[in-house]
Amino acid sequence: MLKGISCTLYFVFTLSPSAVSQTREFQADAQFVDKIYDYSLTEGRCYSWLEYLSLNVGHRLSGSAGAAKAVEWGKSMLDTLGLDSVWLQPCMVPHWVRGEKEQVKVIGSKKGRSFPMAALALGGSIPGKVQAEVVEIKSWDQLESLGAKGLKGKIVFFNRPMDPTKIRTFEAYGGCVDQRVGGASRAAKYGAVAVLVRSVTMRIDDYPHTGTMIYDSAYQKIPAAAISTLAAENLSKALKEDPELKVSMQLQCKSLPDAPSYNVIGEIRGSERPNDVILVGGHLDSWDVGHGAHDDGAGIVQCMDVLRVLKNLGYKPRHTIRCVMFMNEENGLRGGKAYAKEAERKGEYPLASIESDAGGFTPRGFSFEGDESVFGKFFDKLMTFEPLFEPYGLRFTKGGSGADISPLRGMKGLLSGYTPDSQRYFDYHHAETDTFDKVNKRELELGAASMAALVYLIDKYGL
Amino acid sequence: MLKGISCTLYFVFTLSPSAVSQTREFQADAQFVDKIYDYSLTEGRCYSWLEYLSLNVGHRLSGSAGAAKAVEWGKSMLDTLGLDSVWLQPCMVPHWVRGEKEQVKVIGSKKGRSFPMAALALGGSIPGKVQAEVVEIKSWDQLESLGAKGLKGKIVFFNRPMDPTKIRTFEAYGGCVDQRVGGASRAAKYGAVAVLVRSVTMRIDDYPHTGTMIYDSAYQKIPAAAISTLAAENLSKALKEDPELKVSMQLQCKSLPDAPSYNVIGEIRGSERPNDVILVGGHLDSWDVGHGAHDDGAGIVQCMDVLRVLKNLGYKPRHTIRCVMFMNEENGLRGGKAYAKEAERKGEYPLASIESDAGGFTPRGFSFEGDESVFGKFFDKLMTFEPLFEPYGLRFTKGGSGADISPLRGMKGLLSGYTPDSQRYFDYHHAETDTFDKVNKRELELGAASMAALVYLIDKYGL
């Protein structure tokens, strides 16, 4: 399969610059964009904010004490920026707790063939204690063809790895995360008693990667856990030598009643069109392991710095520029839904919504989407901005944006995803290893600068 | 100052794709390039080679036992690839040894104001034991204006940091490495007794970064050491509070007689123009700290994989494709000089020489240079290849290439530097922290694939 964008699109990409780059306007914009990068790389605060969030707040799953502490911290930081308003937007969030450490063990049919496996219950899983034989599954077809006859009473082991030939790792993630999200119910349909899922990462190591899973109410709920890729390789090997082996697993996680929480919001009011909002956002919640440094502490602190940098450079926006720290992206999107509902109620127009939720790595570009009726016009306008990002190595593409802003889709604004380099993201994603030390200061700052520059251009020229 | 390339050049960049992208040839090339990336990301061996070189050979400064072991290892690896020939090319190299750990200490003029500083002697420094007052220098002008009156008998502390506003960190490196290379003699000219140099990195941490320094024979040789950026910040602060403080330093390094060593070379012979050579190279030597993983173990293993990947995909080159592991890039360039001399003697034509010596990070592009009389033609041809790299995020620019291949400049071939993302490179460069764990498998493999793809296109179409 050929990777990458069509030649036609490439052609669109490559005609605009020369046109724009002639104008004096272009030179002025280039100078202000340059100022934004210079300031972000010398006076940026996002890295020290991330250090505090990582080391003093730590992970912050929706409903947890950490999440409450993060809300408090986020608001207190926005309060220091001299914005026009800062507020908390309430939403009820799921409250799932992991409980005692998971116990997952291979029990060989012959002596001395037993070994423990590094595992994490999937978010939303029911608790449970089971011991059963294991069936390794590499494809949905294989699952369907085995059916109840092959799966009843068994633990289903989903072991389809990420495709390493995908250059953008998010594509590879999209190609196998379905095992994690929907595997339990698809296996329960045929009477499976539990599922183990290979961690969704390309690294072979012993850190399990958790993430959300969703039960289909049509079927029995069964326990679901991720095992490390190393454990997955070992289990697969062990099954070939010893098809009768059993796995015993005990998960003590459970779902508690929904809990109150908040989106944290701050804005600089627009001087001409205050009702048209340019949003920069990420999510404040994280999984309950590591620091949630790349996912999505990085996005949060970058968005805070976007407002701080523009304000400190004396920029007075025409439209309202708003930073939104969404709550509950990881397991419910309640914050995103509450935000969209409120925007609709207030009759705001989400002119442009830019999400940073792909890690704090070196900027590679922005991805854009929008309502068909207007997107063509938007994208042509955006392409006139692209050459201004050339010195910083960013490209513009058509594609997805972000989960938290997806509930805004109906409102016909521009949606954009900030797209940093993706090679390392899934090494740490949803794992103990997503810690502050994995984030490079400059890479993080360059991302904040890139978003601030895009916000400036959209605010100045509209869409 | 505006960063980035001129609009004209950008215009050149952006016209070629559409032209090329129409042809059927383009589709065929795109498919083979895709094959190269797929194979490199699934069957690449560069990462496991780097693991061995890092953990079992370790650092390998010219003349050291490590360097000899690296030569042996490099040849033995090339011998496994079924190339047409593998050989060692002799050269004499400098043999500088660090000796006992450096002792560098601040001695406050008042009690309790003393503290040790993390330091590494600069490569080539003479040994010495001195204790003297310190003068902090931020610019050459400042040094010159102080002159003998201000510097005689003092330790000169060069504390000009890297410029964080440079997007390409190599530009920032170029902007202050002169302190490290030439600072000692320029200070000795005015009677300074030793120099301390702020480590050339943007990170603020306690790891000193060494590197080569060169004495000007017109002046007294004086001891020279790098101190960590943290130590530099502390020393600068201490000097403001206590201008009379002294620093005591003891370096036990020394230069031994030149030692015999080798470039390690392997090639696939060209079927049509065997005398025209497409070279991929990096340097096998490293500084005597860390693993030399990014500098330049990464380049070495990528170049080995370029030949392996093309061979394993069944590609039969028209020109000779040669992998060169140069010896002594870090402190003498003897390997590069010996190689160029031999190429000239044999009447070879270095059609294209591509060096990977900027770390094993995500590919961003290639930089090209060449003799004025032919480079224009070369570059126009190269630009027709660029769209084939679009799906992988690489851009072509005019600029520098690599130190090891620079002695080939006179021979009118194309010179190219592989340019990965530069943000993290100087975090580790020439420091204890340049270790295997800092290299990401996919980022390394993508670099090898990118070089293999460029070699394929240059071999197929010539220049």
Side-chain angles (χ1 to χ4, degrees):
Chain A
M1 193 272 299
L2 280 187
K3 300 177 198 75
I5 54 181
S6 81
C7 303
T8 359
L9 182 53
Y10 189 86
F11 194 75
V12 174
F13 273 26
T14 54
L15 274 190
S16 41
S18 47
V20 180
S21 54
Q22 313 306 347
T23 71
R24 210 178 260 112
E25 201 66 16
F26 178 88
Q27 292 305 329
D29 288 333
Q31 274 169 24
F32 193 73
V33 166
D34 199 42
K35 241 192 200 158
I36 289 173
Y37 277 92
D38 285 357
Y39 190 81
S40 303
L41 288 166
T42 51
E43 304 294 323
R45 194 171 295 167
C46 50
Y47 188 70
S48 56
W49 278 329
L50 184 61
E51 180 173 25
Y52 188 93
L53 178 63
S54 300
L55 305 181
N56 297 72
V57 175
H59 57 67
R60 44 201 180 275
L61 184 59
S62 292
S64 68
K69 195 172 171 189
V71 166
E72 202 176 295
W73 169 83
K75 181 171 185 312
S76 68
M77 288 302 105
L78 287 178
D79 282 334
T80 65
L81 301 186
L83 305 175
D84 296 322
S85 37
V86 174
W87 70 97
L88 299 181
Q89 183 173 62
C91 58
M92 294 299 288
V93 296
H95 189 190
W96 177 85
V97 293
R98 183 170 302 280
E100 293 293 298
K101 177 95 201 74
E102 298 81 352
Q103 302 298 331
V104 180
K105 212 163 100 229
V106 170
I107 298 161
S109 67
K110 300 169 198 61
K111 249 190 165 335
R113 286 273 189 88
S114 302
F115 56 90
M117 296 192 290
L120 283 172
L122 294 181
S125 173
I126 61 163
K129 184 172 184 178
V130 299
Q131 176 163 330
E133 287 187 352
V134 178
V135 182
E136 179 175 2
I137 295 293
K138 291 286 196 135
S139 73
W140 293 124
D141 292 351
Q142 186 193 357
L143 182 89
E144 299 302 329
S145 63
L146 282 168
K149 196 161 161 304
L151 303 175
K152 197 167 180 5
K154 303 283 174 67
I155 293 174
V156 169
F157 165 39
F158 290 103
N159 195 27
R160 178 164 30 111
M162 283 174 85
D163 177 356
T165 68
K166 299 275 186 264
I167 301 303
R168 297 172 202 77
T169 59
F170 284 84
E171 221 183 301
Y173 180 73
C176 60
V177 71
D178 53 353
Q179 302 173 102
R180 191 196 75 205
V181 176
S185 288
R186 292 187 68 166
K189 177 180 172 189
Y190 297 117
V193 294
V195 296
L196 292 173
V197 183
R198 178 193 183 96
S199 287
V200 189
T201 177
M202 289 197 210
R203 264 183 76 90
I204 302 298
D205 63 23
D206 210 20
Y207 296 100
H209 296 232
T210 187
T212 198
M213 58 86 58
I214 298 167
Y215 289 116
D216 177 338
S217 56
Y219 308 106
Q220 178 82 35
K221 292 184 174 181
I222 59 175
I227 57 175
S228 70
T229 47
L230 195 61
E233 299 281 300
N234 292 339
L235 176 57
S236 181
K237 192 161 160 292
L239 278 167
K240 286 178 185 61
E241 297 164 1
D242 181 7
E244 280 73 46
L245 67 77
K246 289 189 164 67
V247 160
S248 78
M249 58 191 277
Q250 178 168 19
L251 310 183
Q252 304 195 39
C253 47
K254 62 171 181 279
S255 292
L256 304 174
D258 285 1
S261 190
Y262 306 90
N263 296 326
V264 182
I265 307 176
E267 71 181 22
I268 304 171
R269 198 102 179 120
S271 59
E272 293 174 27
R273 306 178 64 84
N275 206 43
D276 293 4
V277 177
I278 301 173
L279 177 157
V280 288
H283 63 86
L284 192 51
D285 63 307
S286 77
W287 278 105
D288 59 339
V289 291
H291 295 158
H294 277 293
D295 185 14
D296 183 25
I300 290 299
V301 298
Q302 285 174 323
C303 294
M304 290 164 72
D305 236 1
V306 167
L307 268 62
R308 177 179 162 273
V309 166
L310 289 173
K311 191 173 168 48
N312 291 6
L313 289 177
Y315 183 70
K316 304 255 176 285
R318 298 170 54 222
H319 310 80
T320 291
I321 298 177
R322 184 179 290 169
C323 165
V324 182
M325 308 184 195
F326 291 98
M327 180 51 63
N328 187 225
E329 187 271 349
E330 294 293 4
N331 59 336
L333 220 63
R334 301 283 186 85
K337 290 171 183 164
Y339 178 86
K341 202 168 158 199
E342 182 64 5
E344 205 140 15
R345 195 190 62 72
K346 296 199 312 209
E348 292 176 350
Y349 175 54
L351 174 64
S353 306
I354 307 162
E355 180 154 356
S356 172
D357 185 19
F361 304 100
T362 298
R364 301 306 299 263
F366 290 97
S367 170
F368 299 100
E369 61 173 325
D371 186 274
E372 275 190 7
S373 61
V374 281
F375 184 59
K377 179 176 74 68
F378 287 169
F379 198 71
D380 294 348
K381 183 64 161 285
L382 287 165
M383 292 320 299
T384 66
F385 302 153
E386 195 196 30
L388 289 160
F389 291 90
E390 169 71 18
Y392 312 95
L394 282 78
R395 306 300 305 271
F396 290 1
T397 54
K398 296 175 176 176
S401 56
D404 294 293
I405 58 178
S406 59
L408 292 168
R409 281 209 178 101
M411 296 174 74
K412 303 202 170 185
L414 175 73
L415 300 178
S416 175
Y418 165 64
T419 54
D421 192 275
S422 74
Q423 298 310 321
R424 286 170 285 148
Y425 187 66
F426 293 101
D427 291 358
Y428 315 129
H429 184 249
H430 298 179
E432 272 304 339
T433 49
D434 184 6
T435 49
F436 176 67
D437 58 294
K438 307 304 194 313
V439 180
N440 174 276
K441 182 172 182 288
R442 285 178 59 81
E443 294 184 352
L444 185 73
E445 290 166 347
L446 285 166
S450 303
M451 294 175 75
L454 182 61
V455 166
Y456 156 74
L457 291 165
I458 292 174
D459 180 65
K460 179 174 175 186
Y461 295 103
L463 284 169
Chain B
M1 192 273 300
L2 281 185
K3 302 178 195 74
I5 53 182
S6 81
C7 304
T8 359
L9 181 53
Y10 190 87
F11 194 73
V12 175
F13 273 28
T14 53
L15 274 190
S16 39
S18 49
V20 180
S21 55
Q22 312 308 348
T23 70
R24 208 177 264 115
E25 202 66 16
F26 178 88
Q27 290 308 327
D29 288 332
Q31 274 169 24
F32 194 73
V33 166
D34 200 43
K35 243 195 201 156
I36 288 173
Y37 277 92
D38 285 356
Y39 189 81
S40 302
L41 289 166
T42 51
E43 305 293 322
R45 194 171 295 167
C46 50
Y47 189 70
S48 56
W49 278 330
L50 184 61
E51 181 173 25
Y52 188 94
L53 178 63
S54 300
L55 306 181
N56 298 70
V57 176
H59 58 66
R60 44 201 179 275
L61 184 59
S62 293
S64 68
K69 195 171 171 190
V71 165
E72 202 175 296
W73 168 82
K75 182 171 185 309
S76 69
M77 289 301 106
L78 287 179
D79 283 334
T80 64
L81 303 186
L83 304 176
D84 295 324
S85 37
V86 174
W87 70 98
L88 298 182
Q89 183 174 63
C91 58
M92 294 299 289
V93 296
H95 188 190
W96 177 85
V97 293
R98 184 170 301 280
E100 294 293 300
K101 177 94 200 71
E102 299 81 353
Q103 302 298 331
V104 181
K105 213 160 99 233
V106 171
I107 298 161
S109 65
K110 300 167 197 62
K111 250 192 165 329
R113 285 274 189 88
S114 302
F115 55 90
M117 296 191 291
L120 282 171
L122 293 181
S125 172
I126 60 164
K129 183 172 185 179
V130 299
Q131 176 163 329
E133 287 186 353
V134 177
V135 182
E136 179 175 2
I137 295 292
K138 292 286 197 134
S139 73
W140 294 124
D141 290 351
Q142 185 192 357
L143 183 89
E144 298 302 329
S145 62
L146 281 169
K149 195 161 162 306
L151 303 175
K152 196 165 180 11
K154 302 284 175 64
I155 293 174
V156 169
F157 165 38
F158 290 102
N159 194 27
R160 179 163 29 110
M162 283 175 83
D163 177 356
T165 68
K166 298 277 188 263
I167 301 302
R168 296 172 202 76
T169 59
F170 283 84
E171 224 183 298
Y173 180 73
C176 59
V177 70
D178 54 353
Q179 301 172 102
R180 190 195 77 206
V181 176
S185 287
R186 292 187 68 166
K189 177 181 174 187
Y190 297 117
V193 294
V195 296
L196 292 174
V197 183
R198 179 194 182 95
S199 287
V200 189
T201 177
M202 289 197 211
R203 264 183 76 91
I204 302 298
D205 64 23
D206 211 20
Y207 296 100
H209 296 232
T210 187
T212 197
M213 59 86 58
I214 297 166
Y215 289 116
D216 177 339
S217 56
Y219 307 107
Q220 177 84 35
K221 292 183 175 182
I222 59 175
I227 57 175
S228 70
T229 48
L230 195 62
E233 298 281 301
N234 293 339
L235 177 56
S236 181
K237 190 161 161 292
L239 278 167
K240 286 176 186 61
E241 298 163 359
D242 181 6
E244 281 74 44
L245 67 77
K246 290 190 163 67
V247 160
S248 78
M249 58 191 278
Q250 178 169 17
L251 310 183
Q252 305 196 35
C253 47
K254 62 170 182 279
S255 292
L256 304 175
D258 285 1
S261 190
Y262 306 90
N263 297 325
V264 182
I265 307 175
E267 71 180 22
I268 304 171
R269 198 105 179 116
S271 58
E272 293 174 26
R273 306 179 64 85
N275 206 42
D276 294 4
V277 177
I278 301 174
L279 178 158
V280 289
H283 63 86
L284 192 51
D285 63 306
S286 77
W287 278 105
D288 59 340
V289 290
H291 295 157
H294 277 293
D295 185 13
D296 183 24
I300 289 300
V301 297
Q302 286 175 323
C303 293
M304 289 164 72
D305 236 0
V306 167
L307 268 62
R308 176 179 162 273
V309 166
L310 290 173
K311 191 172 169 50
N312 291 6
L313 289 178
Y315 183 70
K316 304 255 175 288
R318 298 170 52 221
H319 311 81
T320 291
I321 299 178
R322 183 180 290 169
C323 166
V324 183
M325 308 183 194
F326 291 97
M327 179 51 63
N328 186 225
E329 187 273 348
E330 295 293 4
N331 59 336
L333 220 61
R334 302 284 186 84
K337 290 171 182 163
Y339 177 86
K341 201 168 158 199
E342 181 66 4
E344 205 140 15
R345 196 190 59 74
K346 295 199 312 210
E348 292 176 350
Y349 175 54
L351 174 64
S353 305
I354 308 163
E355 179 153 356
S356 173
D357 186 20
F361 305 101
T362 298
R364 300 306 299 264
F366 290 96
S367 170
F368 298 100
E369 62 173 323
D371 186 89
E372 276 191 4
S373 61
V374 281
F375 184 58
K377 180 177 72 69
F378 287 169
F379 198 71
D380 293 349
K381 183 63 161 285
L382 288 164
M383 291 320 299
T384 66
F385 303 153
E386 196 196 31
L388 289 160
F389 291 90
E390 168 71 18
Y392 312 96
L394 282 78
R395 306 299 304 271
F396 290 1
T397 54
K398 296 176 176 177
S401 56
D404 295 293
I405 58 177
S406 59
L408 292 168
R409 281 209 178 99
M411 296 174 74
K412 305 202 168 186
L414 175 73
L415 301 177
S416 175
Y418 165 64
T419 53
D421 192 275
S422 74
Q423 298 309 321
R424 287 171 285 147
Y425 187 66
F426 293 100
D427 292 358
Y428 315 129
H429 184 247
H430 297 179
E432 272 304 339
T433 50
D434 184 8
T435 48
F436 175 67
D437 57 295
K438 306 305 193 313
V439 180
N440 174 276
K441 182 173 183 286
R442 286 178 59 82
E443 294 184 351
L444 185 73
E445 290 166 347
L446 285 166
S450 302
M451 294 175 75
L454 181 61
V455 166
Y456 156 73
L457 291 165
I458 292 174
D459 181 65
K460 180 174 175 186
Y461 295 103
L463 284 169

